[in-house]
Amino acid sequence: MMRTRPLKVALLGCGVVGSEVARIMTTHADDLAQRIGAPVELAGVAVRRPSKVREGIPAELVTTDATALVKRGDIDVVVEVIGGIEPARSLITAAFEHGASVVSANKALLAQDGAALHAVAEEHGRDLYYEAAVAGAIPLIRPLRESLAGDKVNRVLGIVNGTTNFILDKMDSTGAGYQEALDEATALGYAEADPTADVEGFDAAAKAAILAGIAFHTRVRLDDVYREGMAEVTAADFRSAKEMGCTIKLLAICERAADGGSVTARVHPAMIPLSHPLASVRGAYNAVFVESDAAGQLMFYGPGAGGSPTASAVLGDLVAVCRNRLNGATGPGESAYAALPVSPMGEVVTRYHISLDVADKPGVLAQVATVFAEHGVSIDTVRQQGKDGEASLVVVTHRASDASLSGTVEALRKLDTVRGVASIMRVEGE
């Protein structure tokens, strides 16, 4: 039986995502009511610029006083799409304290203070949902914390930033340099005027922290995630990757140690075999590869950003939270019972592709091989090309720790025959 009294929703932010959330709530109102079991009513919209015309949103709903809106007491659900740490953190906390559940798309806040927000939500018996914070429209958080709740997830490997994937895909397919590809991404609207959060890996690192926490039932904060940007990736790196049957992606990688005693979370460019499903993810799309004991290998693919895709995830959470509200229940909260330590990057083991500029004379390869052996790093393949007294030496290792590889590179730089280290890149996805 349909309840006639509507559930009231406060919307914080009415930009690209917020305006789309409001539009879908209005145009799909009848369907949403049937799915939830009660109507949902947009009761207020907090914005910074009230004078701006917002199609479909009555002017009397618009306010600049977000704090007063979330403290009204008659609000059932607060949808937060303003981003950033403050005032979002204070507003979400106030919403819980005044009886509302929260749906958020705020990856930065959740990666930094997710545990504290979950604690406040639990204290007040309210929901905190955030499917839209990680991969736009791609259902990922709910499968990890509900569909795979009875399984053991060992690895989450993914492309979680559409801007960086567009840039690297353009470099791969056209041979363009990094700056040229970035300029095109900016012109097409894929990259912000200041692309730092994307290209330096901050956006992906926040998402990795959230994914690792859910997958491994362990609190993982943004500071726990190793981060490396992609500005140093060159057209020469792509040529080397192609010679190995690989391409290059900016990956978020969350792994459980082989002995199960710790986890790691990292974001960096990596070569990945063309045979791996992630290698075929093109343009601004996202994809996440999940490996678990019972389910095996799963892949989630789709648009990871944009107004409509992100709003789709927000509305999915809104329906779930409203259903819980009607039933007097709450959904899954934070699961951090495992409390596994997060290992530093130096302990991470992977393969490496190292390109060296060396003197073109006898004995160089032997010297380089000796340095690798002295640091316990096993060489898989070596390729050397030389001309006019100079040469390039490409070494691909077997699996080695980041710390041992760092020691190897430091020792290589001290060799008189090594002119420089042109590039170092990890090889993933085997």
Side-chain angles (χ1 to χ4, degrees):
M1 182 176 177
M2 176 78 68
R3 192 182 85 163
T4 56
R5 185 176 72 80
L7 293 162
K8 294 189 176 183
V9 178
L11 179 61
L12 307 183
C14 198
V16 173
V17 176
S19 60
E20 192 66 8
V21 169
R23 184 191 68 79
I24 295 174
M25 284 184 63
T26 301
T27 58
H28 295 178
D30 291 341
D31 286 338
L32 289 173
Q34 292 295 327
R35 294 167 192 172
I36 292 168
V40 286
E41 173 189 318
L42 188 60
V45 182
V47 299
R48 285 185 297 179
R49 295 183 292 275
S51 60
K52 180 180 178 181
V53 177
R54 293 171 173 85
E55 186 177 350
I57 299 177
E60 62 268 21
L61 294 184
V62 177
T63 178
T64 58
D65 193 344
T67 301
L69 178 61
V70 301
K71 289 183 176 181
R72 270 177 36 176
D74 64 333
I75 299 297
D76 294 288
V77 184
V78 170
V79 174
E80 182 271 310
V81 288
I82 57 177
I85 305 302
E86 286 292 356
R89 175 171 50 199
S90 297
L91 291 170
I92 290 174
T93 300
F96 291 139
E97 292 171 347
H98 287 78
S101 290
V102 173
V103 173
S104 176
N106 194 331
K107 53 188 170 286
L109 177 59
L110 290 159
Q112 178 172 305
D113 291 319
L117 293 175
H118 271 295
V120 179
E122 183 176 358
E123 177 187 353
H124 294 279
R126 295 295 178 250
D127 277 323
L128 173 60
Y129 276 47
Y130 43 90
E131 184 70 65
V134 172
I138 305 172
L140 186 57
I141 290 178
R142 192 170 287 111
L144 280 174
R145 71 177 183 179
E146 297 181 26
S147 304
L148 296 174
D151 205 345
K152 179 184 177 184
V153 176
N154 296 309
R155 196 178 198 219
V156 180
L157 172 76
I159 299 164
V160 295
N161 183 280
T163 299
T164 57
N165 199 59
F166 177 89
I167 293 169
L168 292 174
D169 183 41
K170 185 62 61 174
M171 293 175 70
D172 184 29
S173 60
T174 69
Y178 167 76
Q179 190 60 51
E180 182 182 352
L182 173 59
D183 290 344
E184 182 172 351
T186 303
L188 293 173
Y190 290 120
E192 301 286 347
D194 180 0
T196 303
D198 294 324
V199 300
E200 292 299 327
F202 290 102
D203 176 86
K207 295 172 180 177
I210 296 170
L211 289 174
I214 296 171
F216 307 133
H217 305 279
T218 291
R219 287 178 178 169
V220 180
R221 299 180 73 252
L222 182 58
D223 291 345
D224 296 321
V225 182
Y226 172 83
R227 179 193 54 78
E228 192 177 303
M230 51 174 272
E232 301 302 317
V233 177
T234 66
D237 291 326
F238 273 100
R239 289 193 293 271
S240 293
K242 288 181 178 179
E243 291 173 357
M244 291 178 58
C246 294
T247 188
I248 299 172
K249 301 291 186 180
L250 185 76
L251 298 178
I253 306 168
C254 311
E255 292 180 304
R256 189 190 299 270
D259 64 3
S262 64
V263 299
T264 59
R266 50 199 166 100
V267 169
H268 53 71
M271 293 184 179
I272 189 167
L274 294 175
S275 57
H276 194 281
L278 291 179
S280 61
V281 178
R282 312 302 298 268
Y285 274 71
N286 285 189
V288 178
F289 204 71
V290 177
E291 300 174 11
S292 68
D293 278 359
Q297 298 179 330
L298 307 170
M299 184 169 168
F300 301 83
Y301 170 84
S308 293
T310 305
S312 171
V314 169
L315 267 294
D317 278 350
L318 179 63
V319 168
V321 169
C322 286
R323 286 171 176 168
N324 292 342
R325 189 83 170 188
L326 284 180
N327 294 325
T330 55
E334 183 190 30
S335 176
Y337 73 90
L340 297 171
V342 182
S343 297
M345 188 62 188
E347 297 178 13
V348 171
V349 175
T350 188
R351 296 177 67 204
Y352 290 87
H353 175 282
I354 305 102
S355 179
L356 304 172
D357 295 326
V358 300
D360 186 15
K361 62 182 183 180
V364 173
L365 180 55
Q367 287 183 333
V368 169
T370 297
V371 170
F372 276 88
E374 289 174 347
H375 288 81
V377 179
S378 176
I379 294 175
D380 182 18
T381 62
V382 177
R383 186 174 69 254
Q384 184 174 4
Q385 294 178 327
K387 183 179 180 182
D388 298 329
E390 298 294 331
S392 63
L393 189 65
V394 176
V395 178
V396 179
T397 73
H398 288 290
R399 291 175 65 82
S401 72
D402 189 81
S404 62
L405 196 281
S406 296
T408 303
V409 172
E410 184 178 347
L412 287 171
R413 295 183 192 275
K414 296 177 181 178
L415 293 178
D416 292 339
T417 52
V418 174
R419 311 298 192 212
V421 180
S423 69
I424 303 171
M425 191 166 295
R426 296 168 183 88
V427 182
E428 301 284 350
E430 296 175 279

